[in-house]
Structure formats: structure tokens, C-alpha cells
Amino acid sequence: MNKKTKNWLSKWGALIATSLMTIMMVIVLIQFAFTGDIALPGEQSTASTTTPSASQPPVSTPDTYYPPTSNKTDSYVSLGMFEKFGIVGDSYTKGTVYILNSDGTLKSAGYYENLEWGNIMAKKLGTKCTNFSWGGLSTRTWLTDSHGLAALLAAEPQNIYYLMLGINDKQTYGSENIGSLADIRDDFTQNADTFYGNYGKIICHIKAHAPEAKIIISTMTGVTSMNKLYNDAIEEIAEHFGIPCAKQYEYEFFSSDFYRKNLVGSHPTAPVYAAMANVLEQMFADTVMNNADYFKDYIG
């Protein structure tokens, strides 16, 4: 092979090598654009695939509403900032416990102050809870029951009120009496007798009684399409009044086996109330943190 031929082969070899390197770089860049990850030769890509994991929630059907499967646990806020708090609710906030005989018949049912999740939470935080709740109350009956509005107006203003109604509205009235935002009037005494209208009355009564107090309204847990209907209404009411909304359906505890399998008479038992105190404390703390602007003027 003469010198001229060797030079020709050398030049073409270098050109081919450069071209191969360019092609490899293009392939790597295309891979990064589509996956966000680069796998070098001999390595396995760490990018996630499109295959759903076992932990992902099932796809919702028209008549079912599934909550996400992860808790919110990123709050740095302590609810100890509220020295005294009030709870507006029903039997779930009143510490109602059903006890059965060995044959499954009802032995007793009653309210237990020591088991109210609000009181458990208050003892943990070193704060005070005042409960404006009673079994069976809806937004309509809370306004007329002696344990509801009358008790709240007779008590000193609280630093914050947690609103937890909705279960008995759903069970008693279904979708027939839910109403709409149009039911909340400028003069709240003229609100329509619907879920929207009555919850609007409750919020306005609290604002008039305790103008410096903060309010957080909570959805129900998310399981059925009816719950979703009411939860959507609660979120819309919160937006209308400019108050934070805590979303119970985002907390997997309420769809856990521990929660569902430890209800008696459709009500929590002592261990469940104790767990609710922890989970709801976290939920309300998350809500404060995620709505920090609303609390900027709070001084106690």
C-alpha cells in the first residue's frame, strides 16, 4: 500500500469516527428530551416508565370517588398558635361511641368528652377546645339546636373555628336540598334553607360573633359520588367567603383498613378517635401552612 492510499484511508477513518460520535450524541439528546434521563452506554436509565405502579389509585367510575393514597405531611406549623379553638360539627366531633354485646346487639351508646378528637388534640397541644357539636346535626338543625348556634353565641370568641358539618345533610337530604351559591345572600338572614344557604348563615354568625377569629371549613372524606357533590359545595363555599378549606379526602387514613374496620355503628371507636386527633391536627396544620396569607394578620 502506497503512501497516498494510506493518507486517504486515514482521512476517511477519522471522518467516519467523528460521524459516529455525532450520531451517538444526537441519540443521547433525544433520549433526554423524551425521558428527562440519560443512560450512558452500559448503564440502565433511571427514568420512570409509563407502567402504573401498584400504589396508584384506581381510575374513578361515574358513581365512585376515590381519595388519593398519600398523606400531606409537609407542614412546619404548630396548631399551638391557637390558644383556644372551637369545633362545629356532629356526632363524629362529639365523641360518640357505640358499644356492642358479644352477640352483636347494642349494649350502649353515648358521648364521651375524653374521646372527642378535639379534646385529645387540645391536651396534646396544651390548648383549649370548645365543642359546639351534637349527634345528628346538619347545617339546618345546627342553627336551631341548643348545642349549636345558641351555645356558640353564649361562649367567648375563639381564636379559630373548625367547621366539620355535612354528613347528616348528605344522609338526610341527599342531593335535593344542596342548593347553590345563589342561596347565600348579602343579608345572610335571608339565605335560602339549603346546604349552601345554611352553611353561609353559620359562617356569617361566627364572623359577627368573633370578628377577629379565623375559620377553616373541612370537606368530608371522599368515597361516593354524593360525598363529592357535597365536598365540591364546601370548597365553593370556602372560596366564596375567602376562608381556607381542609380536604379530608386527600388523607389516606380515612380510606385505610384501620379506619374502616374499627367503626362500630358507623362511628369511630376510642383508638380511631385518637388517630383522628393526630391526622386532623396534621390536616389543619397543612391547611394553615398552605394558606399562610390568610393568617398573616393573626395575633391571637
Side-chain angles (χ1 to χ4, degrees), residues 90-190:
D90 45 44
S91 55
Y92 268 58
T93 55
K94 191 58 183 173
T96 306
V97 174
Y98 286 77
I99 298 175
L100 304 181
N101 293 305
S102 57
D103 61 357
T105 58
L106 181 64
K107 180 179 180 180
S108 65
Y111 303 117
Y112 297 88
E113 250 183 58
N114 60 307
L115 296 181
E116 294 173 11
W117 60 259
N119 280 336
I120 297 172
M121 190 170 82
K123 283 186 283 187
K124 178 181 176 183
L125 294 169
T127 59
K128 181 183 178 183
C129 170
T130 303
N131 208 330
F132 308 109
S133 307
W134 201 254
L137 292 186
S138 63
T139 55
R140 174 186 288 173
T141 57
W142 188 91
L143 289 163
T144 57
D145 192 273
S146 62
H147 301 92
L149 178 60
L152 186 144
L153 295 180
E156 65 174 341
Q158 306 294 299
N159 296 138
I160 189 167
Y161 294 85
Y162 302 122
L163 311 187
M164 308 286 291
L165 290 165
I167 294 175
N168 294 303
D169 291 85
K170 178 193 71 171
Q171 293 181 346
T172 304
Y173 312 115
S175 60
E176 295 179 2
N177 200 51
I178 195 165
S180 69
L181 273 181
D183 297 332
I184 301 175
R185 314 281 164 72
D186 291 337
D187 178 359
F188 74 87
T189 63
Q190 301 303 308

Side-chain angles (χ1 to χ4, degrees), residues 68-74 250-254 279 282 286:
T69 58
S70 61
N71 281 330
K72 302 282 187 177
T73 56
D74 56 353
E250 291 186 345
Y251 291 78
E252 67 178 7
F253 167 77
F254 295 104
V279 175
Q282 182 66 56
D286 289 338

Side-chain angles (χ1 to χ4, degrees), residues 9-286:
L9 288 174
S10 177
K11 288 180 181 179
W12 273 103
L15 180 61
I16 291 171
T18 301
S19 299
L20 288 174
M21 287 294 294
T22 302
I23 292 170
M24 289 179 65
M25 289 179 66
V26 170
I27 291 172
V28 168
L29 290 172
I30 292 173
Q31 178 188 8
F32 181 76
F34 280 94
T35 68
D37 186 49
I38 297 176
L40 299 177
E43 294 182 341
Q44 183 176 356
S45 172
T46 58
S48 60
T49 67
T50 57
T51 304
S53 67
S55 64
Q56 289 179 323
V59 177
S60 297
T61 58
D63 61 345
T64 308
Y65 181 54
Y66 293 97
T69 58
S70 61
N71 281 330
K72 302 282 187 177
T73 56
D74 56 353
S75 179
Y76 302 112
V77 175
S78 168
L79 296 181
M81 65 187 281
F82 305 112
E83 185 179 349
K84 49 190 178 182
F85 63 92
I87 300 176
V88 172
D90 45 44
S91 55
Y92 268 58
T93 55
K94 191 58 183 173
T96 306
V97 174
Y98 286 77
I99 298 175
L100 304 181
N101 293 305
S102 57
D103 61 357
T105 58
L106 181 64
K107 180 179 180 180
S108 65
Y111 303 117
Y112 297 88
E113 250 183 58
N114 60 307
L115 296 181
E116 294 173 11
W117 60 259
N119 280 336
I120 297 172
M121 190 170 82
K123 283 186 283 187
K124 178 181 176 183
L125 294 169
T127 59
K128 181 183 178 183
C129 170
T130 303
N131 208 330
F132 308 109
S133 307
W134 201 254
L137 292 186
S138 63
T139 55
R140 174 186 288 173
T141 57
W142 188 91
L143 289 163
T144 57
D145 192 273
S146 62
H147 301 92
L149 178 60
L152 186 144
L153 295 180
E156 65 174 341
Q158 306 294 299
N159 296 138
I160 189 167
Y161 294 85
Y162 302 122
L163 311 187
M164 308 286 291
L165 290 165
I167 294 175
N168 294 303
D169 291 85
K170 178 193 71 171
Q171 293 181 346
T172 304
Y173 312 115
S175 60
E176 295 179 2
N177 200 51
I178 195 165
S180 69
L181 273 181
D183 297 332
I184 301 175
R185 314 281 164 72
D186 291 337
D187 178 359
F188 74 87
T189 63
Q190 301 303 308
N191 282 9
D193 183 22
T194 63
F195 181 73
Y196 275 89
N198 290 324
Y199 229 150
K201 286 182 182 179
I202 292 170
I203 293 169
C204 288
H205 274 298
I206 293 173
K207 284 177 171 285
H209 176 65
E212 302 300 320
K214 296 301 182 181
I215 301 172
I216 293 178
I217 190 171
S218 172
T219 69
M220 296 180 287
T221 58
V223 178
T224 66
S225 56
M226 186 63 70
N227 278 39
K228 186 179 187 305
L229 183 66
Y230 274 86
N231 287 342
D232 288 347
I234 290 168
E235 291 182 42
E236 196 170 20
I237 292 168
E239 185 176 0
H240 174 80
F241 284 101
I243 60 176
C245 182
K247 300 173 182 178
Q248 284 192 57
Y249 59 79
E250 291 186 345
Y251 291 78
E252 67 178 7
F253 167 77
F254 295 104
S255 61
S256 68
D257 284 344
F258 174 80
Y259 178 79
R260 292 183 297 105
K261 293 181 179 180
N262 286 288
L263 301 178
V264 175
S266 298
H267 284 75
T269 52
V272 176
Y273 278 124
M276 285 172 65
N278 284 330
V279 175
L280 293 177
E281 178 191 354
Q282 182 66 56
M283 180 185 78
F284 290 127
D286 289 338

